[in-house]
Amino acid sequence: MSISPSLLSIDPATRHVSLDGRDPAFYSDPNRVYAALHAQCPTFYWQQQRKWFFTGYDHVNALLRDRSFGRQILHIATREDLGMPAPLPHTRHFDAAEAYSLLELEPPDHTRLRTLVNRAFVSRHVERMKPEIAALSHTLIDRFEKDGEVELLSAFADVIPVTMIARMIGIPEEMGPQLLKWSHAYVRMYMFGRTEADEYAADQAAKEFADYVRSMIAKRRADPQDDLLSHMIHTEHKGQYLTDDELISTTIVLLNAGHEATVHQIGNSVKVILDSDYDPAKLFADEQSTERTVEESLRICAPVHIFQRYALEDVELDGISFKRGDTASLILAAANLDPQKFSDPLTFKPDRKEAPNLSFGAGIHFCIGAPLARLELNIALPILFERLPGLKLAGTPTVKDVYHFHGLDRLDLRW
């Protein structure tokens, strides 16, 4: 399928690319554009974003691990040094909630926070949640199985990740719908083309979210439970405890990251499986087949597409000179489609034995929730297809206008 020049224009000589990230022709099917970029210009300057982007697997993989680049820059330079604008006054609550985010920090602060949280997310601890994820999946399907149709995101995909991460942290499950509302408003700050209205809504969500978490911290201080929030409050690392501000940032990022991307991935995976010619019964025939199917769906329809890095020093990469404070953007989802690493990369092939996908990142910022997300996918998807044989798409799924996340607005199914 050809790509309209009005959507994508590539000048291989200068490596300059014109691409409208808000065009539905792009965000509804970004893989076609990524394939064109791989063919002509894997490293490119995106004119509308005014930044350099990398799509090649080896470059993205290396940049995720390269300590010459970091997730933050203001720990070694001032805004004045870098010519950065002042923070927006109407996003002060959002900025405060992000101030100690695991996604944004660099060592030594990142190391201290991650060490305190990491124990809860290692595979052996997460594996204990298998029965709960399975039970919840069956309970949700019980509610709509007799109907013969369902909108899967609201009835299934939204519920599983937010319920499990809330249980793990120690947030009451009945807060699930409110957590989703806060999270959806909050993450609009990361999207291309966000509006001032988005910024005000995100700031209000951040304030309410932080106030709620602060109240939960007070409860767990007074009455510790067997949950991650109590663990973070009462555990020291090298003689230091987390401050309330650190606890709030960490809890918010875990709640957001612990469900937002997984909701998208459940929907994306179901769609790509139903669009394929594969028999779901064979895709999920055993644990090994299930794992391969999940990893291939993560490769071909990743939920998070872009992460940014700051150059922490002057450095050259792929012929591009970066000054300290310049940004390099890594398109993880495009790296997963690099034809140098994956044969027939736009095709769903769960029997692949090629490079691992980069959907969870790499290096010190590798997604801390990857074991939980993978477990949820490896349990919920087989149960869904086993319980609902004959599952079909009921109409064309609609894609959310949330680039650089990639997920569906709704996914109507019938059986």
Side-chain angles (χ1 to χ4, degrees):
M1 189 183 296
S2 63
I3 299 173
S4 166
S6 63
L7 171 63
L8 176 68
S9 173
I10 299 175
D11 181 353
T14 62
R15 299 200 274 188
H16 278 219
V17 167
S18 175
L19 171 63
D20 181 2
R22 296 300 304 275
D23 190 326
F26 170 55
Y27 67 72
S28 63
D29 185 13
N31 287 4
R32 292 187 309 126
V33 170
Y34 295 157
L37 291 166
H38 277 302
Q40 299 183 61
C41 209
T43 299
F44 66 95
Y45 184 81
W46 192 335
Q47 292 174 337
Q48 287 86 343
Q49 306 305 321
R50 300 179 183 176
K51 294 174 185 173
W52 284 96
F53 285 74
F54 293 84
T55 68
Y57 184 98
D58 287 341
H59 280 134
V60 170
N61 191 30
L63 273 162
L64 287 167
R65 304 166 192 274
D66 190 340
R67 302 308 302 141
S68 302
F69 290 82
R71 284 290 293 161
Q72 65 176 171
I73 187 67
L74 294 179
H75 63 309
I76 61 169
T78 67
R79 289 178 177 273
E80 290 74 24
D81 291 340
L82 303 170
M84 273 190 185
L88 297 170
H90 63 274
T91 61
R92 64 187 183 281
H93 297 108
F94 177 87
D95 293 339
E98 288 283 282
Y100 299 98
S101 167
L102 273 170
L103 293 176
E104 306 299 334
L105 294 178
E106 287 295 302
D109 290 332
H110 176 271
T111 307
R112 182 169 63 92
L113 280 171
R114 182 141 183 159
T115 300
L116 280 171
V117 176
N118 197 52
R119 192 175 73 180
F121 285 93
V122 295
S123 297
R124 66 181 179 275
H125 289 291
V126 169
E127 286 286 319
R128 297 175 190 165
M129 302 177 79
K130 267 185 177 180
E132 293 181 64
I133 299 169
L136 179 58
S137 299
H138 283 294
T139 297
L140 295 172
I141 295 169
D142 287 343
R143 295 175 185 171
F144 57 75
E145 182 180 20
K146 63 183 181 303
D147 299 333
E149 61 182 14
V150 71
E151 196 292 292
L152 192 74
L153 301 185
S154 58
F156 189 77
D158 270 348
V159 184
I160 293 172
V162 74
T163 301
M164 299 316 299
I165 193 66
R167 285 182 187 175
M168 176 181 273
I169 292 173
I171 303 294
E173 286 179 39
E174 57 267 25
M175 283 297 295
Q178 181 61 67
L179 294 174
L180 288 171
K181 288 178 184 175
W182 283 331
S183 180
H184 292 334
Y186 196 96
V187 300
R188 293 295 304 187
M189 287 290 284
Y190 305 127
M191 307 309 167
F192 282 23
R194 78 185 192 215
T195 65
E196 190 174 62
D198 291 333
E199 292 169 354
Y200 274 101
D203 198 63
Q204 182 64 27
K207 180 184 184 307
E208 294 174 8
F209 212 159
D211 287 347
Y212 175 74
V213 173
R214 191 175 283 109
S215 72
M216 288 300 302
I217 291 168
K219 288 180 182 177
R220 290 296 185 267
R221 270 218 170 90
D223 183 21
Q225 303 292 315
D226 184 18
D227 56 39
L228 180 54
L229 184 54
S230 298
H231 166 74
M232 291 192 296
I233 292 167
H234 295 281
T235 302
E236 64 176 293
H237 176 66
K238 295 184 177 178
Q240 288 184 299
Y241 290 91
L242 296 185
T243 67
D244 278 12
D245 287 343
E246 289 172 330
L247 287 164
I248 289 167
S249 283
T250 304
T251 303
I252 288 177
V253 76
L254 290 175
L255 282 165
N256 283 343
H259 77 268
E260 193 81 33
T262 311
V263 170
H264 290 327
Q265 191 59 41
I266 291 173
N268 293 350
S269 298
V270 171
K271 179 184 179 296
V272 79
I273 289 166
L274 292 178
D275 278 340
S276 78
D277 294 327
Y278 287 92
D279 176 3
K282 292 182 179 177
L283 292 179
F284 300 112
D286 52 43
E287 284 191 15
Q288 188 177 47
S289 301
T290 296
E291 185 176 325
R292 284 202 304 262
T293 298
V294 166
E295 293 305 308
E296 176 66 352
S297 73
L298 281 163
R299 183 195 71 83
I300 201 168
C301 54
V304 181
H305 282 213
I306 294 175
F307 269 104
Q308 180 177 278
R309 293 290 189 270
Y310 288 99
L312 302 180
E313 58 191 58
D314 293 354
V315 63
E316 183 174 309
L317 185 64
D318 197 18
I320 311 300
S321 295
F322 291 90
K323 299 289 186 187
R324 187 175 76 154
D326 288 347
T327 56
S329 292
L330 325 178
I331 309 185
L332 310 184
N336 288 341
L337 304 175
D338 189 338
Q340 302 296 317
K341 293 290 180 180
F342 303 100
S343 59
D344 198 8
L346 298 192
T347 301
F348 177 69
K349 297 199 297 187
D351 54 351
R352 286 183 188 275
K353 291 181 179 144
E354 296 172 319
N357 68 72
L358 294 176
S359 298
F360 291 110
I364 67 166
H365 286 285
F366 179 80
C367 176
I368 199 168
L372 177 58
R374 283 186 159 119
L375 188 67
E376 289 169 343
L377 292 162
N378 276 273
I379 292 175
L381 291 174
I383 289 173
L384 180 72
F385 282 97
E386 181 185 345
R387 289 283 305 273
L388 305 174
L391 199 59
K392 297 181 181 64
L393 295 173
T396 304
T398 54
V399 179
K400 274 182 180 282
D401 173 15
V402 291
Y403 191 80
H404 52 88
F405 276 146
H406 181 70
L408 303 175
D409 241 341
R410 40 183 310 123
L411 180 57
D412 294 290
L413 305 176
R414 58 184 171 83
W415 52 93

